[in-house]
Amino acid sequence: MTPEALEALLHGSFAGIGAMVAVTLGILLLLLAEILPGAAKLKPVLFVATLVVAFLGELQLLGEPAGPVLGGSYIANQAAAAWGLVFLSATAVAWVFGRGYYTLEKPFQGEHDVLMLSSLLGMMLMSGAGDLITFFIGLELLSVPLYALCGFRRARNDSVEAGLKYFLLGAFGSALFLYGAALVYAGAGSVSLTTLSQVGASDSLSLIGLALIASALLFKAGVFPFHFWIPDVYQGAPTPVTTFMATGTKAAAFAFLLNMAFLLPPAAASSLAWIALLTIAIGNLGALVSRDLKRMLALSGVAHAGILLLAVVSYLKSGDVELAEESAIYYMAAYVFSAGGAFGLLALLESKGDEATTLDSIKGLGSRRPGIAAAMTVFMLSLGGIPATGGFLGKYFVFSSLVVKADMVGVALIAILLSVIALGYYLRVIIAMWMEAETEDAAQLSEPKRLGGAAAAVCVAMVLWLGVLPDFFLGLMR
Amino acid sequence: MSVGAILCSLVVVSARNPVVSVLSLLGSFVCLAVIYLLAGFQFMAAAQLLVYAGAIMVLFLFVIMLLNLGNSAEESGPLDRALLRARRMPVVLAIGAAVFLLTLFGIETQQTVMAADPELVERGVSSLSGLAELMFSTYLLPFEAASVLLLAATIAVIVLAKRGRTQLVADTRTEVTP
């Protein structure tokens, strides 16, 4: 390759990966601040500055997408930029609610933040990956820090157990993906999505490979029948990490699933629709019977993954990738703020008492801490899909694309009915907070945290904004 | 060679004695290196031998020695005992086979493979410069991201391991002053 050719290849690629460069710089600066004396005060500032710069980079990219970068190993299109914004919001929400959460692990807060940023970098790499190699590096970059973060509270057995479980099953998922990628390469002769879109991947070897890759992605997203690890890991992991995993990991897996869905045969649509419906049913029924709030939210996350899978199904059936991406991103954005806010409030409730937050422990919260209870109510309504919240519009976009474009009225109807079951347990939380008397094992509330309260308020505002004025966000994406 | 690699990998997971596992892992690595060589990727084969069979294997053996796992002879199953009796044999055999194949078929087969796939010749993937060119142009992003991945993995391990000591200190402190 001549120097000129190399220059042409590299030209203009910085704009496409600017946000990722910012995050990498943030990681290095945070590590530097760790060893420099007197720089401890700087660390939160650095973290926020990193997120802000990356946010601006993604916004810039959303305005003028750079397209394929570096010979197509990364595709910096609008969807990747919009997903990037979702990941950044998820990181910000998880980080803000995590401030003051750790007590024994306080000295390791710096490493915690660095690991979180590395995981964020992995998500960004995954959402825009133009070939399977880039995606795999992104997947590992997402997972490896999360394994450590899940086991971050070494003093607690459930945290260590969550880390180990996630590590073992995650390694299994990675192996599935690698095996699938090798089969696709053997069958179709390429791992680049651009090349694969030209030559197609319809021979039997590639199809088996694609099935394995899709399984690995569904595993990361926690879709039936790969959802068994979700409740245990989400419950055992420190709550801010759970917030991050529930929102970010799911978004990253679906971002790439949508990117590579054009390779799947059209016949996959109906089987994926079945999987999605089963996922919604199992997630909702599991959540209905669990008393622990964290476990309940984890299982409800499984149900939400099922609804996101319906967006992929609608794309497979209709071939309208923009609509599918738009509805999935919108759904995920609403989910980041409502589930992120709900998990974050659990972290606030938990931080003092250090025990599990059950339905009993939040009884009467409405009279003791009306602010927290009101915010939790909004999040629950949004997760349940009540109009005027972001969750409603997200569901509306997914289901309407399913009905109008994909002509799958039956599937949409069953999914809506299953979502009504979900209201059962979301409303139970609201009833426990506002209408039931306080019991003895009520959550020991810590003194009001200004930062946590402000973060909850911002989440509520975002949920309502997403629910009432969707035009602004849709305008960003178009 | 691939049969050898698979057999060795099976022994890795089925053997109870860690030393046997590690040695058969070495055999599996050597087999893989020979496969790379036969496919015409000399640099990959050399890197496989140097990095995996050399450095990583030594690391494994060090860990086993430090943890003193190798002496648990009573834990070993019948397969281990049979292999332990001739424990140097598979390795010696594998290395011998590798060298043998390298000298006999290596260069000729490589040329036939290369001739069979003109695209590979054209892109020059098998040569070191071709590999480097690809790595620093098309695959620059995953290559750089891999370095961040290694950094993150290092930090993750430090967080998990170093904690043990501070936790221990915290525990003993609470014991001393209840």
Side-chain angles (χ1 to χ4, degrees), chain B residues 10-153:
Chain B
L10 281 180
V11 175
V12 173
V13 287
S14 60
R16 288 219 195 121
N17 190 315
V19 177
V20 174
S21 282
V22 167
L23 288 180
S24 41
L25 191 60
L26 178 61
S28 162
F29 284 157
V30 173
C31 290
L32 274 183
V34 176
I35 292 176
Y36 292 154
L37 199 63
L38 291 180
F41 301 106
Q42 300 99 325
F43 177 69
M44 281 284 284
Q48 169 86 8
L49 276 181
L50 282 176
V51 176
Y52 278 95
I56 299 215
M57 198 46 59
V58 171
L59 205 66
F60 267 118
L61 284 172
F62 258 128
V63 170
I64 287 174
M65 278 197 319
L66 282 176
L67 295 178
N68 208 10
L69 290 172
N71 294 338
S72 50
E74 64 271 17
E75 281 177 22
S76 36
L79 177 68
D80 300 291
R81 260 175 267 133
L83 282 170
L84 265 182
R85 238 172 273 140
R87 75 173 153 207
R88 287 194 182 73
M89 285 307 285
V91 187
V92 174
L93 275 181
I95 293 176
V99 174
F100 181 63
L101 281 168
L102 187 153
T103 45
L104 257 186
F105 305 113
I107 298 151
E108 274 177 59
T109 325
Q110 174 210 334
Q111 270 151 8
T112 52
V113 169
M114 298 297 282
D117 200 342
E119 199 200 347
L120 279 183
V121 182
E122 188 196 330
R123 285 162 68 194
V125 186
S126 68
S127 68
L128 190 53
S129 64
L131 190 72
E133 206 167 78
L134 270 182
M135 206 177 254
F136 286 101
S137 59
T138 311
Y139 295 105
L140 179 64
L141 191 62
F143 178 71
E144 296 295 342
S147 60
V148 184
L149 170 62
L150 287 178
L151 177 70

Side-chain angles (χ1 to χ4, degrees), chain A residues 1 6 9 31 70 73-74 104-105 108 111 114-115 118 121 125 131 134 137 140-141 144 148 151-152 154, chain B residues 133 136-142 145-146 148-149 151-153 155-156 159-164 166-167 170:
Chain A
M1 192 182 280
L6 195 64
L9 191 71
L31 280 178
L70 290 169
S73 68
Y74 188 81
L104 202 58
E105 294 83 3
F108 289 90
E111 281 89 342
V114 168
L115 287 177
S118 333
L121 188 66
L125 209 55
D131 62 36
T134 313
I137 299 285
E140 288 301 294
L141 195 50
V144 170
F152 194 67
R154 277 280 302 271
Chain B
E133 206 167 78
F136 286 101
S137 59
T138 311
Y139 295 105
L140 179 64
L141 191 62
V148 184
L149 170 62
L151 177 70
I155 298 168
V159 163
L160 286 181
K162 193 175 157 198
R163 178 73 50 75
T166 50
Q167 208 75 64

Side-chain angles (χ1 to χ4, degrees), chain A residues 276-299:
Chain A
L277 289 181
L278 277 172
T279 309
I280 302 175
I282 285 179
N284 280 338
L285 292 178
L288 206 54
V289 294
S290 59
R291 302 287 296 172
D292 185 290
L293 285 182
K294 217 164 145 189
R295 202 176 179 84
M296 185 202 94
L297 279 177
L299 281 159

